[in-house]
Amino acid sequence: MNDTPARPEGLSAYIAVTASYWAFMLTDGALRMLVLLHFHTLGFSPVQLAYLFVLYEIAGIVTNLCAGWIAARFGLTSTLYAGLGLQVLALLALAQLDPTWAVASSVLFVMLVQGASGVAKDLAKMSSKSAVKLLAPTQDGGLFRWVALLTGSKNMVKGLGFLLGAALLATLGFVWAVLAMAAILAAILLAVLLAMPPGLPRGRKGARFSEVFSKSANVNWLSAARVFLFGARDVWFVVGIPIYFYAVLSDGTPAGHRAAFFLIGTFMAGWVILYGLVQANAPRILQARSRPQQELIAAARGWAWALACVPAILTIAALFATAPQGWLTVTLVVGLLVFGAIFAVNSALHSYLILAFTKAERVTMDVGFYYMANAAGRLTGTLLSGVTYQIGGLPVMLGVATIMVALSAIIVGFLKGDQP
């Protein structure tokens, strides 16, 4: 691990990786909102909408398991380029969707394309997060600051993507919106291919796939906590809340549809931007510069239990409302924004701890394994989002989120400081 300030070439590589990741996540956020709102207006049920994202998350599990080894074997730049290129191809493929196809055919096609997009996203994510471990200085909390800046700024950009997706759908329509994003991302990929500075490792031929599975108890416990943390977010984020807001905001007219798209996109964008802003400032909020690892582990436990209180309160509020009501909508907006801020601190702590727990020589392996757990949590949350909202509405959906955050907090309690 580097104990000196970052070298100029390392800083240049960090900037290039971050810019690539920003471009990718802008299209990723826009694509999610495009798919969700477009197919909801076509009459898809909450469960069918959840199916559209299932393969995306399954692909993430498999990709992260393999991507750590691929990066260790072939180098981080190769997986970054592959992620950007595959996303361009996925966007071009999605533009071929025919609205006259049967529902089953449309669902299957979009699932396959979303699966390819999931592979692309996690190739890019693993490459970017691993690069921070190798490039960041560690003195004065440098590692925490660099990883918080990358993840926080990425989420702010993804939030803008939600707003962009809703705006493009309302103005250009589905096909032209997808093609425009493919063209922008292709231009970014070309620029990165031509201008990527040195600073990232090229890989080692002796890397074995079996090395992916970590022997570190801390890495394994943190990965398990990540499953439930992100499952708790996506159980409401992916399907339930957008569909609830659509029911409240749309009056059934074309103008009402467009207004609902913009308002839902604005809320989702605002939530993710707030999440990213708090995440980027988490080192300052936690005063991480002067705190040892053991104190940050203890902080992770406290912030996890604080997060569990928010969906618990929202569940109680939802139980008192038998139908969409104005006061409930306002309560949800405020409560979910609070959830986003506290969730951001939890996520930033996790992102720092996984890099602190791993060693430089196996960083891609441990980060890949950890984000495999992250994808497993998103998959679980995605499936539960459609199912819980369809069978029990807001109370069941938010109640499940509460249980999942509590399980994450319990698991974080098993982390120990200064372990390999």
Side-chain angles (χ1 to χ4, degrees), residues 100-398:
T100 63
W101 290 348
V103 170
S105 299
S106 297
V107 169
L108 179 60
F109 179 78
V110 176
M111 283 180 65
L112 292 172
V113 174
Q114 286 286 90
S117 181
V119 171
K121 194 278 291 291
D122 285 296
L123 284 171
K125 173 187 278 188
M126 186 281 305
S127 304
S128 302
K129 297 294 180 68
S130 297
V132 176
K133 172 72 173 185
L134 301 171
L135 299 173
T138 57
Q139 61 180 20
D140 297 325
L143 178 60
F144 199 166
R145 291 199 310 274
W146 280 39
V147 71
L149 179 61
L150 174 69
T151 54
S153 62
K154 175 267 294 186
N155 283 311
M156 286 187 278
V157 170
K158 186 172 183 177
L160 292 175
F162 284 123
L163 182 59
L164 176 65
L168 289 175
L169 181 62
T171 55
L172 299 181
F174 184 76
V175 173
W176 283 108
V178 171
L179 289 175
M181 290 192 298
I184 293 171
L185 194 58
I188 296 294
L189 173 57
L190 180 61
V192 172
L193 282 169
L194 295 174
M196 176 64 78
L200 295 177
R202 297 181 179 275
R204 53 186 175 91
K205 294 183 178 179
R208 299 188 306 274
F209 183 78
S210 59
E211 296 176 37
V212 167
F213 299 98
S214 178
K215 295 181 176 62
S216 166
N218 273 339
V219 169
N220 292 329
W221 282 123
L222 188 61
S223 299
R226 192 76 171 185
V227 171
F228 292 103
L229 180 68
F230 271 76
R233 182 198 67 174
D234 281 4
V235 75
W236 62 264
F237 188 83
V238 174
V239 174
I241 286 296
I243 298 308
Y244 171 84
F245 283 160
Y246 186 86
V248 172
L249 297 171
S250 177
D251 60 6
T253 66
H257 287 318
R258 288 192 295 270
F261 290 161
F262 277 116
L263 290 172
I264 294 168
T266 298
F267 171 77
M268 302 299 280
W271 190 94
V272 179
I273 291 170
L274 171 68
Y275 165 46
L277 184 62
V278 174
Q279 194 173 36
N281 287 280
R284 186 178 306 166
I285 294 170
L286 295 165
Q287 299 180 327
R289 184 188 293 266
S290 60
R291 300 178 73 178
Q293 185 185 103
Q294 187 62 49
E295 286 190 17
L296 291 174
I297 291 173
R301 299 181 190 123
W303 282 92
W305 284 114
L307 181 65
C309 295
V310 180
I313 294 170
L314 294 180
T315 301
I316 294 171
L319 284 170
F320 282 97
T322 57
Q325 297 180 22
W327 68 266
L328 176 60
T329 301
V330 173
T331 301
L332 286 171
V333 169
V334 174
L336 292 176
L337 289 174
V338 173
F339 182 97
I342 302 175
F343 180 86
V345 178
N346 280 271
S347 181
L349 278 165
H350 285 206
S351 295
Y352 160 71
L353 288 173
I354 187 59
L355 295 180
F357 290 154
T358 190
K359 297 178 180 179
E361 60 268 22
R362 59 167 292 114
V363 59
T364 62
M365 303 288 191
D366 284 345
V367 170
F369 181 79
Y370 169 77
Y371 281 109
M372 177 196 71
N374 191 92
R378 294 199 312 264
L379 171 63
T380 303
T382 296
L383 289 171
L384 289 174
S385 186
V387 172
T388 56
Y389 188 77
Q390 186 156 317
I391 66 174
L394 289 174
V396 172
M397 181 185 72
L398 293 168

